[in-house]
Every structure is written in C-alpha cells, then in structure tokens.
Amino acid sequence: MMKKKILSLIVLLTAAILFFYPQGVSARSLFEHSETTVPVGQTVDDLYVIGGNADILGHASGIVIVVNGNLHLSATARVDGTVVVIGGKITQDEGAVTGDDIYNITLDTGTQNSLLIGGGIVAGLWLIQLAGSLLLILIPLFFYLVGGRKAKAWVKRKPIASWRKQFYLGSLGSAILIAFSLLCIVTLVGIPLLLVVFLILFAALIMGMTSFSHMIGGFLQEKWIPNEWVRLVIGASLIVAFMNIPLIGWLVWLLMMVLSLGTFTHWLYTFRKKKQTE
C-alpha cells in the first residue's frame, strides 16, 4: 500500500505541469489519447490514463490514476487500490465497489489561482529568508574588510568579558531598549526616536555577529580555515544555519541578539573608560 501511495504522489507532482497550460487547451490536443475501457470480466493490475477518460466495467486490483480526464465506474466495476483523478470528475454507478482512498483534484480556475497565490507567497517568504541569511553571512565579512585595522584588531582581541557577563549586560540593555521603545510608541511624539533603537540594534548585531563568527570559525582554523575572512564566513554560516531551524532558530536569534547587545554595551563601556584615562 505504501508503494501505491508513493506512486500517487509522483503522479501528482508530474500533473502539476498541467497548471501552466492555458485554459483553452484540451486533453485531446495535449495527448491525443482515446478513451480507455476495462470491460466486464477483465482484471488489470494498475491503470494509468493521461489526457483521456477511463471507463471501468471490470476489476482493477491496483491503483487507478486518471490525469486530465474523467473516470466512470459502472455498476460492475471493482477497484481494490487507491483512486486518483486530477483535472476531471468521478462518476460512480450504484453497485460499484471501491477501496478506502479516493482523491479527486479539479484544475478549475479557482483552484489554480489559489495554488499559484499560495505558491507565490511561499516562494516570496523563502526568497526573503534567503536574502536575510546571505546578509547575515556577509555582515561580518563586510565589517572585517571595510573597518580597517581597528576593526580587525577588535575582532582578533581576546574576549575580556565572560559569557555570563555579556548575557547579563545584553539582558539589561534589551530591557532598557524595550522600555524606551514602548515609551516612544505611547507618547507618539517619540516614535521617530525608534530609529535610534534600530541603529543601536543594528550596530550591536554587526559587532556581535562578527565577534562570534570569528570565534566559532576559529574552532576549525588550524586544520580547515587558514584565512581570516574564510573563518568569518564559515562561522557566520554556522550561526545562520542554526537560526533557520524551526523553533530552535528563534531561540538562537534571541540569544544572538542578547549576546550581541551585551558585547556592544561592554565595548561602549571600555571605549568610554579608555577616553577618560587619556
């Protein structure tokens, strides 16, 4: 039975090509097939009809698939396997015996439009996700190559703050930014200030992604990654790969933003302290 259902799925996928033909194209003009009939007293294993009608008066012990045509089951018909009709209708006379699985998919205009719209939305969301993933991978590389010697020195520095300290700083910074954003939304006047919050988060994401990409990519540096920019790309790719995992990706996103904000906050603190001592 599993084999028959797999065959059904394969035929369903191949039949999807029919969606791209104009409505005025008939089955005869596409396939030039005549009507297929299983007479009374005859037994067939599997019946596949593409571009024509099928009339079963006898016995079909396997699967019956009709694409872009109609299926008629007479009173003497008996079908033991799965029945799949795509782009046509099923007519069953009283007395016909069929199995448990019957699938009838009509290719009318409404169905095609719904599938095209749904497929377009899915494809659009996938392209947006792909573009965002590529951007997150390129951010560390761009920061490393364009930032000059200061950016390269900062990336290669040994982390001073522990993971726990960065997490605490990031959590505190996130709470402050969320409270500030809510205050801006409530007052309405402060909504333009949300751009400041966005810039802070973007800057934190750049520094955090670069720092953690360099660190994660460094685990393979001795044997696999001799170049710094390759190290950054590999590290960022691993982070983005985990971000794209359902459910787990949201946790990775949240953790990355908190740690990035903690890294950014710690950098601001050390930068200000260095300026005061000069």
Side-chain angles (χ1 to χ4, degrees):
M1 195 65 181
M2 181 63 66
K3 179 181 178 181
K4 296 177 180 179
K5 290 189 176 182
I6 293 175
L7 290 175
S8 301
L9 292 176
I10 294 175
V11 174
L12 287 174
L13 291 175
T14 56
I17 301 175
L18 298 174
F19 285 107
F20 297 98
Y21 282 95
Q23 293 293 315
V25 179
S26 64
R28 182 174 179 81
S29 64
L30 287 176
F31 299 99
E32 295 293 340
H33 285 181
S34 59
E35 183 171 336
T36 301
T37 302
V38 179
V40 178
Q42 181 176 348
T43 300
V44 297
D45 293 331
D46 298 322
L47 179 63
Y48 302 93
V49 179
I50 300 179
N53 300 325
D55 188 8
I56 300 180
L57 293 80
H59 179 207
S61 60
I63 187 173
V64 174
I65 296 179
V66 179
V67 179
N68 208 19
N70 301 321
L71 172 63
H72 173 242
L73 302 174
S74 67
T76 58
R78 178 184 171 186
V79 179
D80 298 334
T82 303
V83 176
V84 179
V85 177
I86 304 174
K89 62 181 181 178
I90 301 175
T91 304
Q92 182 176 343
D93 296 341
E94 185 177 357
V97 180
T98 60
D100 296 331
D101 299 324
I102 298 179
Y103 304 98
N104 187 196
I105 303 175
T106 58
L107 303 181
D108 54 9
T109 303
T111 303
Q112 294 185 36
N113 291 339
S114 299
L115 290 174
L116 289 175
I117 293 173
I121 293 176
V122 172
L125 293 176
W126 181 81
L127 289 176
I128 292 175
Q129 183 180 8
L130 178 61
S133 300
L134 292 177
L135 179 62
L136 288 176
I137 294 175
L138 293 177
I139 280 177
L141 182 61
F142 181 81
F143 179 76
Y144 182 80
L145 296 178
V146 179
R149 282 184 286 180
K150 290 185 178 180
K152 295 178 181 178
W154 183 84
V155 170
K156 295 179 180 180
R157 84 199 191 289
K158 293 183 179 180
I160 300 175
S162 64
W163 285 87
R164 183 178 298 179
K165 186 175 182 179
Q166 290 184 6
F167 183 78
Y168 288 157
L169 288 174
S171 300
L172 179 61
S174 299
I176 294 175
L177 289 180
I178 291 175
F180 180 75
S181 301
L182 292 176
L183 181 63
C184 292
I185 294 175
V186 171
T187 57
L188 296 180
V189 181
I191 290 181
L193 295 178
L194 291 176
L195 179 61
V196 178
V197 177
F198 174 78
L199 292 177
I200 293 175
L201 292 176
F202 186 70
L205 181 62
I206 291 177
M207 298 182 69
M209 281 292 297
T210 306
S211 177
F212 293 118
S213 297
H214 189 268
M215 182 183 64
I216 293 175
F219 294 144
L220 306 175
Q221 185 180 19
E222 293 183 0
K223 294 183 178 180
W224 300 92
I225 311 173
N227 297 325
E228 291 293 327
W229 66 271
V230 178
R231 173 178 177 172
L232 287 169
V233 172
I234 296 297
S237 299
L238 291 175
I239 295 175
V240 173
F242 280 99
M243 285 181 174
N244 287 324
I245 299 176
L247 298 180
I248 298 178
W250 289 102
L251 297 177
V252 176
W253 257 108
L254 180 61
L255 181 62
M256 179 56 60
M257 285 304 306
V258 172
L259 291 176
S260 297
L261 194 57
T263 301
F264 182 72
T265 304
H266 182 265
W267 174 79
L268 287 178
Y269 173 77
T270 54
F271 180 78
R272 180 181 178 184
K273 188 176 180 180
K274 183 178 179 181
K275 287 294 184 181
Q276 290 177 350
T277 56
E278 291 180 354

